[in-house]
Amino acid sequence: MNGVPRMNEEKKRILEMVEAGLITASEALTLLEALEKEPGQNVRKERRDNFFDELVNLGQKLSGSGQKQSGESSGSAHQPKDKLFQFVQSTVQKLKDFDFPLGKTVEFSHVFQESEFSPQRIKAETASGNFTIQPWQENGVKAECHVKMYGADNEDEAREAFIKNSVFYAREDKFSFSVGLKLMKVDTILYVPEAAVNDISVKLFNGSFSMRDMDVQTLEVKTANGKIEVKKSKVAEFEGETGNGQIYFIDCEGKKVEASSFNGAVHVVGSVGYTDIKSFNGNVLCDLKSDTAHTVKAQAVTGHIEIYVPEHLAMKGVLRTNLGSLQLPETGMKRVTEKEEVVQKLVRFESEKEALEQVTIEAETKTGSVSIKTTALHKNSSNEDIEKPSIFEGE
């Protein structure tokens, strides 16, 4: 029921872009096809706040009227993604310009700390700067901030403005941290107790996020410009979105992972049950490390998709591409359906063997290739025994 009105809203936004002269009618049709989302697969998708649409709108505002004129003069050979890339690149350039404004720059460090406090809910928001979460053995929370402020006359003035416009709140089981000034870059390392945390929500505008060795029930990270990196952690449910940057969910355990990047690679490596990963302009990698995996959904537009599955697991699914190739393991697979048409190649497959554990795979890319490979992974095997995927460090 909720899928229909949501789809109508997406179509309305694209039509508004046509009316504004940002894209042509033919480009709008291609954009609808490329960015169409499956309706109503889970509740968390329904409550996402149209992150990429907000990024596109921001790019329009920052790029100004000249962007519209260039859009009107561009040829039909350009894909609609080129227009969207222009918006993103304009946004990123404006953000980079923030690092070198005219006027005096003051740098200093500041520490916020609350002793005898173990948070269950963490919420952080910053306009500019990297944010890192790191566990420690102390019973309390500490935020180490390295601040670069533009336009301040001296350090005392800059520190006073920073403290006045910052929030460091620790009460009961909730912790909040935010910095409101835009002409201020704040790189933050947040130290929290090693005990498990129920919920972490981080929203950044211009900055990267990193976390490792944590135990979290729900982790949500969104950034307009920056990398998202989660390593060696237990995260029951992870949702990550970035407009410009890579997403790495490496050597982690989780029940559900949803990650999408507009311009960057998306890699998920570890013991994950349900995986849904997307990249508009970047490669997508999913390397399953245990029998807990049951569903993999991977989608790209210009990038390649690689999926690694333990060889003792059975699998079935469907692979699609418009211009690339489709590759299955050389042995143990049977092709149920295979189509190679002018506009799309499609393969439906399933394992010849039967097994208690089975993985369902859906993978689709527009211009890239899709490949599924098996790994000699067994229970309690070490990562050193696994051959590294070929695009593990690639874009």
Side-chain angles (χ1 to χ4, degrees):
M1 296 296 292
N2 294 331
V4 174
R6 184 181 177 197
M7 181 62 69
N8 290 335
E9 291 176 3
E10 293 176 353
K11 291 180 179 179
K12 182 179 178 181
R13 284 192 292 271
I14 294 176
L15 291 176
E16 289 174 351
M17 295 174 67
V18 176
E19 293 176 357
L22 299 171
I23 61 176
T24 65
S26 60
E27 289 173 337
L29 292 175
T30 307
L31 182 61
L32 281 170
E33 178 187 358
L35 299 182
E36 183 178 4
K37 300 178 181 179
E38 298 181 6
Q41 290 295 325
N42 53 71
V43 176
R44 292 193 68 187
K45 283 186 179 180
E46 295 177 1
R47 60 188 180 92
R48 287 185 179 182
D49 57 359
N50 303 318
F51 179 72
F52 290 141
D53 294 322
E54 294 177 1
L55 186 61
V56 170
N57 291 335
L58 177 62
Q60 295 177 23
K61 293 178 181 179
L62 292 178
S63 56
S65 59
Q67 190 72 28
K68 180 178 178 180
Q69 294 175 358
S70 64
E72 293 173 349
S73 61
S74 61
S76 59
H78 290 84
Q79 298 296 323
K81 68 180 179 64
D82 296 331
K83 299 288 180 60
L84 296 179
F85 286 155
Q86 290 172 8
F87 300 150
V88 174
Q89 290 169 356
S90 175
T91 303
V92 172
Q93 186 59 51
K94 293 291 183 179
L95 292 170
K96 289 180 179 179
D97 291 343
F98 260 166
D99 289 342
F100 304 98
L102 297 176
K104 188 177 180 180
T105 301
V106 176
E107 293 189 45
F108 61 93
S109 297
H110 187 84
V111 176
F112 296 99
Q113 187 164 357
E114 181 72 24
S115 302
E116 303 300 324
F117 177 73
S118 183
Q120 287 299 300
R121 295 179 295 166
I122 297 174
K123 183 177 182 180
E125 296 184 11
T126 63
S128 180
N130 301 325
F131 193 86
T132 301
I133 297 180
Q134 188 170 315
W136 68 340
Q137 297 180 351
E138 302 293 330
N139 185 20
V141 176
K142 181 174 72 171
E144 292 183 349
C145 305
H146 180 76
V147 184
K148 180 186 292 186
M149 180 174 288
Y150 308 106
D153 293 331
N154 53 65
E155 181 177 329
D156 291 338
E157 177 185 330
R159 189 182 298 272
E160 181 180 356
F162 168 69
I163 296 174
K164 182 179 178 180
N165 291 275
S166 301
V167 173
F168 185 89
Y169 174 89
R171 188 72 57 85
E172 296 178 352
D173 65 345
K174 182 179 180 180
F175 170 77
S176 297
F177 177 81
S178 65
V179 180
L181 287 182
K182 294 183 178 179
L183 290 178
M184 178 189 300
K185 182 179 180 182
V186 183
D187 293 327
T188 305
I189 300 178
L190 179 66
Y191 295 90
V192 299
E194 293 179 328
V197 180
N198 284 339
D199 178 73
I200 297 178
S201 174
V202 178
K203 292 185 179 181
L204 312 174
F205 184 66
N206 181 33
S208 297
F209 171 85
S210 63
M211 186 187 84
R212 62 184 303 148
D213 300 318
M214 290 287 295
D215 189 347
V216 182
Q217 283 295 312
T218 303
L219 173 63
E220 179 182 14
V221 183
K222 297 184 179 182
T223 178
N225 179 47
K227 180 171 66 173
I228 299 174
E229 189 173 65
V230 182
K231 289 188 174 182
K232 296 183 178 180
S233 297
K234 293 182 179 180
V235 183
E237 295 189 15
F238 169 70
E239 180 179 344
E241 295 183 8
T242 178
N244 183 56
Q246 303 85 17
I247 300 180
Y248 295 131
F249 190 83
I250 307 297
D251 295 333
C252 295
E253 298 179 15
K255 296 179 180 178
K256 185 176 184 180
V257 170
E258 294 179 329
S260 54
S261 172
F262 187 90
N263 184 35
V266 179
H267 293 177
V268 174
V269 179
S271 175
V272 180
Y274 176 95
T275 303
D276 187 351
I277 49 181
K278 302 175 183 177
S279 176
F280 195 91
N281 181 41
N283 292 333
V284 173
L285 165 70
C286 180
D287 188 4
L288 305 176
K289 296 294 188 182
S290 76
D291 299 341
T292 60
H294 58 81
T295 303
V296 175
K297 295 182 178 181
Q299 189 174 11
V301 177
T302 65
H304 303 294
I305 298 175
E306 285 193 37
I307 301 173
Y308 291 79
V309 181
E311 61 182 4
H312 64 280
L313 296 183
M315 53 180 147
K316 67 175 182 179
V318 57
L319 311 180
R320 296 183 179 90
T321 184
N322 287 9
L323 302 177
S325 61
L326 303 176
Q327 178 183 348
L328 291 171
E330 295 182 357
T331 59
M333 293 289 112
K334 60 180 179 180
R335 299 174 183 238
V336 178
T337 304
E338 184 172 2
K339 295 181 181 179
E340 186 166 347
E341 302 175 350
V342 176
V343 294
Q344 188 180 72
K345 302 174 186 177
L346 179 148
V347 172
R348 297 184 187 274
F349 65 95
E350 63 181 32
S351 299
E352 294 178 345
K353 63 181 179 181
E354 295 184 0
L356 294 177
E357 296 86 5
Q358 180 174 263
V359 182
T360 300
I361 299 173
E362 297 179 15
E364 178 179 2
T365 179
K366 299 299 179 183
T367 64
S369 299
V370 182
S371 63
I372 299 179
K373 302 178 182 179
T374 57
T375 57
L377 174 67
H378 299 281
K379 295 180 180 179
N380 299 325
S381 63
S382 62
N383 290 339
E384 287 75 10
D385 296 331
I386 306 303
E387 181 182 356
K388 293 298 182 182
S390 60
I391 65 170
F392 185 83
E393 296 297 338
E395 292 298 308

